[in-house]
């Protein structure tokens, strides 16, 4: 084969495919050996010489010299008369090396070689991208928006690799146009149809965790640990932090002087409200902190059912529940408990309430059953309904309703 200078091709592949020169040489040798096997049946007696520095490639065929008429295998043996055409000094028993010319393979074989080479390079490129991002799952990357589609964004990283940010992984208030820079965390990497699919996320709790690591040196250095993060993307997030150094205030360190550290994170998350709370093993205190900014009066915890009843002043109930119920929902996720909120005045009433069955000696059983059928199990439940509503929802007469209301009211006087 004529000397083929591949230096320019190598430089091009190195620039655009991120493939180093030795790897490229190995691919070339593999592709040429496949072509040799297809033409000659074996590549065992062929030498492929590669010059990594210059990008040169030569193919030589080595054959044993035998007497004229004694050739049994054209690929491994050559007649003396043919051998001396290559080198006049050759003798029987020696090995003759002959350079294989490009035209010896034929036009089709050369075109197939080129296609095979491109295919292997692309395959290696895909494999390299997959391995690179497989090791970066959970890391923040910065890219440029290349295409905006209805269901996803196409992002290009600094090497031109394609990344996907689905609509479901975008913050509701996110708005990007072509050319915008964007930050997101690598959520998932998979091979789909022999092509690496790299999915990004801005809604993952890991994204918020990485932002804290970037903004708060104490977290990056391990002086402060993030115990748990829960989010309603674009609305609210709760972050439980803990410091193993008593001299460091974990909440203060995360928020920064006048909120300097957390403001950048809030802006990145489209003004998502972030509550940073101090983690504790004291469950009552943990739930109290989780319901911030509401001030809790008292808590009853049932560890067996995983439920917590929280009692607050009437003006604190709406704060505990939060806009759209996000605050109480996130507090539940953070603590792992199902949280029910009660007003203090109702809590006191519940303690003083009396079950309807306690009035069995004064009120007929069928009347008590009628009241239970409409959801009234206690005396206060009945008194909370007007006389007209009780008449309308039950089969009781007006006089009967008036009488039972009088009995129940007397119980609390």
């Amino acid at each position: 084969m004529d000397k083929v200078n591949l230096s320019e091709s190598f430089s091009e592949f190195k620039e655009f495919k991120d493939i180093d020169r030795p790897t490229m040489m190995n691919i070339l040798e593999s592709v040429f050996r496949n072509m040799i096997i297809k033409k000659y049946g074996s590549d065992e007696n062929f030498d492929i010489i590669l010059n990594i520095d210059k990008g040169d490639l030569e193919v030589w065929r080595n054959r044993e010299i035998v007497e004229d008429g004694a050739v049994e295998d054209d690929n491994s043996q050559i007649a003396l008369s043919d051998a001396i055409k290559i080198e006049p000094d050759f003798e029987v028993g020696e090995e003759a090396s002959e350079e294989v010319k490009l035209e010896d393979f034929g036009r089709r074989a050369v075109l197939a070689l080129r296609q095979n080479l491109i295919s292997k390079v692309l395959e290696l490129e895909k494999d390299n991208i997959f391995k690179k991002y497989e090791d970066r799952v959970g890391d923040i990357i910065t890219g440029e928006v290349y295409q905006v589609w209805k269901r996803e964004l196409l992002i290009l990283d600094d090497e031109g690799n394609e990344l996907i940010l689905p609509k479901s992984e975008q913050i509701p208030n996110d708005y990007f146009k072509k050319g915008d820079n964007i930050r997101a965390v690598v959520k998932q990497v998979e091979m789909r149809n022999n092509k690496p699919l790299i999915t990004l996320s801005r809604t993952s709790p890991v994204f918020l965790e990485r932002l804290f690591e970037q903004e708060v040196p104490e977290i990056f250095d391990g002086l402060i640990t993030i115990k748990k993060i829960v989010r309603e993307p674009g609305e609210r997030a709760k972050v439980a932090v803990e410091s193993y150094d008593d001299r460091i205030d974990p909440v203060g360190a995360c928020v920064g002087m006048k909120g300097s550290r957390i403001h950048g994170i809030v802006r990145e998350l489209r003004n998502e409200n972030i509550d940073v709370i101090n983690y504790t093993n004291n469950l009552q205190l943990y739930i109290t902190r989780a319901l911030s900014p509401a001030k809790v009066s008292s808590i009853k915890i049932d560890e067996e059912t995983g439920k917590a009843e929280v009692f607050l002043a009437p003006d604190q109930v709406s704060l505990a529940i939060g806009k759209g119920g996000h605050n109480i929902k996130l507090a539940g996720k953070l603590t792992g408990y199902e949280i029910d909120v009660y007003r203090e005045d109702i809590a006191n009433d519940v303690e003083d309430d009396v079950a309807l069955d306690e009035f069995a000696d004064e009120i007929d059983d069928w009347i008590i059953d009628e009241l239970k059928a409409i959801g009234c199990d206690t005396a206060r439940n009945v008194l909370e309904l007007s006389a007209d509503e009780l008449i309308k929802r039950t089969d009781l007469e007006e006089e009967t309703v008036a009488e039972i209301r009088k009995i129940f009211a007397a119980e609390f006087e």
Side-chain angles (χ1 to χ4, degrees):
M1 176 175 177
D2 294 331
K3 267 193 178 182
V4 181
N5 190 291
L6 301 164
S7 295
E8 293 180 4
S9 300
F10 293 155
S11 298
E12 184 178 342
F13 276 121
K14 184 170 178 58
E15 181 179 350
F16 295 106
K17 305 297 181 183
D18 193 27
I19 297 173
D20 57 67
R21 198 166 291 219
T23 303
M24 190 65 213
M25 290 295 187
N26 289 335
I27 292 174
L28 272 169
E29 182 171 353
S30 171
V31 168
F32 270 92
R33 285 198 177 279
N34 287 336
M35 187 172 69
I36 290 167
I37 291 170
K38 283 183 180 179
K39 181 171 178 61
Y40 297 104
S42 171
D43 67 334
E44 290 180 3
N45 58 317
F46 285 81
D47 291 329
I48 297 177
I49 302 171
L50 301 169
N51 188 319
I52 293 177
D53 295 325
K54 294 182 179 180
D56 294 338
L57 182 146
E58 299 174 5
V59 178
W60 293 84
R61 179 162 63 156
N62 306 309
R63 290 185 287 180
E64 182 188 356
I65 301 171
V66 297
E67 296 284 356
D68 291 350
V71 175
E72 296 178 358
D73 180 6
D74 287 335
N75 187 37
S76 61
Q77 296 174 328
I78 185 171
L80 177 62
S81 58
D82 292 327
I84 59 177
K85 294 177 183 177
I86 301 171
E87 184 68 51
D89 297 335
F90 277 143
E91 296 179 2
V92 173
E94 291 182 340
E95 187 176 70
S97 295
E98 180 184 13
E99 187 175 3
V100 181
K101 305 295 183 182
L102 181 61
E103 55 266 24
D104 293 342
F105 290 99
R107 184 171 175 273
R108 284 188 179 181
V110 173
L111 289 174
L113 177 143
R114 182 177 179 275
Q115 193 61 41
N116 196 7
L117 176 62
I118 293 171
S119 175
K120 281 187 175 293
V121 169
L122 290 174
E123 188 178 325
L124 184 63
E125 179 198 17
K126 291 174 185 177
D127 194 46
N128 285 346
I129 294 171
F130 179 81
K131 288 178 180 177
K132 173 186 174 182
Y133 276 97
E134 190 179 33
D135 293 337
R136 294 193 65 185
V137 171
D139 289 351
I140 282 184
I141 65 106
T142 301
E144 182 182 317
V145 177
Y146 184 71
Q147 283 283 5
V148 179
W149 295 314
K150 187 175 181 180
R151 294 185 178 180
E152 59 193 17
L153 297 178
L154 177 63
I155 315 293
L156 297 183
D157 67 6
D158 53 4
E159 295 176 357
N161 298 317
E162 296 183 354
L163 319 169
I164 295 294
L165 179 62
K167 190 73 175 176
S168 59
E169 299 297 332
Q170 297 174 36
I171 298 169
N173 295 331
D174 272 345
Y175 173 76
F176 296 102
K177 58 184 184 297
K178 185 174 180 178
D180 285 349
N181 285 328
I182 186 170
R183 283 201 293 176
V185 73
V186 180
K187 182 182 180 182
Q188 184 177 332
V189 180
E190 58 182 329
M191 291 297 283
R192 187 176 293 179
N193 298 325
N194 201 32
K195 183 180 178 182
L197 179 66
I198 300 137
T199 305
L200 306 180
S201 175
R202 285 173 54 81
T203 61
S204 168
V206 179
F207 182 50
L208 179 52
E209 184 176 352
R210 295 294 173 266
L211 289 174
F212 267 105
E213 288 176 358
Q214 290 183 356
E215 295 289 337
V216 184
E218 291 87 347
I219 292 178
F220 183 80
D221 294 337
L223 298 173
I224 294 174
T225 302
I226 295 176
K227 300 294 287 187
K228 192 172 183 180
I229 294 178
V230 290
R231 289 180 68 191
E232 286 291 327
E235 295 290 343
R236 197 175 202 101
K238 289 187 180 290
V239 184
V241 294
E242 184 179 32
S243 172
Y244 298 109
D245 189 336
D246 294 337
R247 296 170 296 177
I248 297 175
D249 170 21
V251 175
C254 291
V255 174
M257 188 73 69
K258 295 183 179 179
S260 58
R261 288 177 172 177
I262 207 167
H263 279 166
I265 300 174
V266 170
R267 281 194 300 271
E268 180 67 44
L269 300 182
R270 308 298 187 193
N271 294 321
E272 187 173 307
N273 290 317
I274 302 174
D275 297 329
V276 182
I277 67 169
N278 207 339
Y279 178 81
T280 176
N281 289 320
N282 183 324
L283 191 54
Q284 287 213 356
L285 183 56
Y286 191 35
I287 293 174
T288 300
R289 290 173 177 173
L291 284 168
S292 173
K295 295 178 180 178
V296 175
S297 299
S298 61
I299 300 176
K300 290 182 180 177
I301 297 174
D302 188 336
E303 294 186 6
E304 289 186 5
T305 59
K307 292 185 177 181
E309 295 180 350
V310 179
F311 302 100
L312 311 97
D315 62 337
Q316 297 295 307
V317 172
S318 60
L319 282 175
I321 294 172
K323 181 183 175 183
H326 294 311
N327 198 57
I328 192 169
K329 183 178 178 182
L330 290 175
K333 287 182 179 179
L334 191 70
T335 60
Y337 274 74
E338 183 182 331
I339 300 174
D340 294 320
V341 173
Y342 299 96
R343 293 198 307 271
E344 272 188 306
D345 54 348
I346 291 180
N348 293 331
D349 290 346
V350 169
E351 291 176 3
D352 298 336
D353 211 347
V354 182
L356 293 186
D357 292 333
E358 298 293 324
F359 297 92
D361 56 340
E362 297 179 72
I363 301 172
D364 291 340
D365 289 342
W366 71 271
I367 296 176
I368 291 175
D369 291 339
E370 279 285 326
L371 295 172
K372 286 183 177 181
I374 63 169
C376 294
D377 296 318
T378 67
R380 286 193 185 278
N381 289 157
V382 177
L383 293 174
E384 285 173 0
L385 301 176
S386 65
D388 290 339
E389 195 169 353
L390 284 169
I391 293 168
K392 184 178 179 180
R393 293 174 61 182
T394 65
D395 291 332
L396 301 177
E397 298 289 336
E398 184 177 348
E399 293 81 6
T400 306
V401 169
E403 181 63 27
I404 60 174
R405 282 177 61 85
K406 183 179 177 182
I407 293 170
F408 292 150
E411 184 67 25
F412 301 110
E413 290 177 356

